[in-house]
Structures are given as C-alpha cells and as structure tokens.
Amino acid sequence: MSGRGFSADEVAATREGWVLAKALVPEGFDDYLTHVEHALQDPRFVALIKRATEAASWEPDDPRIAELATAMADHFLANPNS
C-alpha cells in the first residue's frame, strides 16, 4: 500500500485490521489478501479507496459522499472480486 501512495498511518491501520481479521476469521484470509493484492494493481480502485479514506473528514451532508457511494457500488458490481 505504501507503494501506491497511502500514508504510513493508513498502512499501519490497515495492517492492524488485517491482524485482527486473521485472528477472528483465519479460514479464507490468505485468499482475501490475494484479492487485495490484485485490487491494488487497479489505479481506479486505489483512487476510490483513497477517496473513501478522505471521506472520513467530510461533513455528513457533503454531496461527495453520495457520489463516492455510487462510484464504489459501481466498481464492486463490475468487479466483485475486488
């Protein structure tokens, strides 16, 4: 992730989440990581994830939230393995 422009804080938070996820649901976790690695090769997916991270600081009524939600839904419907 750091090679894709994510901040050190975002990488650390993601790593911590993955450690917890692997501890709670170890079966299938390696397959999940393979999907993540593949998805991170897609610049459109990376851009969506970065926008989603930025959205945490947006006001709840910010119109960009609906736009981002639509873009995310469109992406995942077109690429269910992302």
Side-chain angles (χ1 to χ4, degrees):
M1 289 180 61
S2 58
R4 299 279 181 243
F6 291 92
S7 73
D9 289 341
E10 291 167 329
V11 173
T14 299
R15 183 180 306 120
E16 290 174 16
W18 287 345
V19 168
L20 178 59
K22 183 167 177 125
L24 294 174
V25 188
E27 60 282 341
F29 186 77
D30 290 338
D31 289 337
Y32 168 73
L33 283 183
T34 299
H35 288 293
V36 170
E37 289 173 356
H38 181 263
L40 288 174
Q41 301 304 312
D42 180 354
R44 293 167 300 174
F45 177 75
V46 171
L48 282 173
I49 297 305
K50 287 179 180 179
R51 284 177 51 206
T53 301
E54 293 170 9
S57 66
W58 298 346
E59 293 296 322
D61 60 346
D62 191 315
R64 294 177 294 176
I65 293 174
E67 294 167 4
L68 177 58
T70 298
M72 295 286 279
D74 290 346
H75 175 81
F76 285 111
L77 289 172
N79 305 282
N81 290 326
S82 290

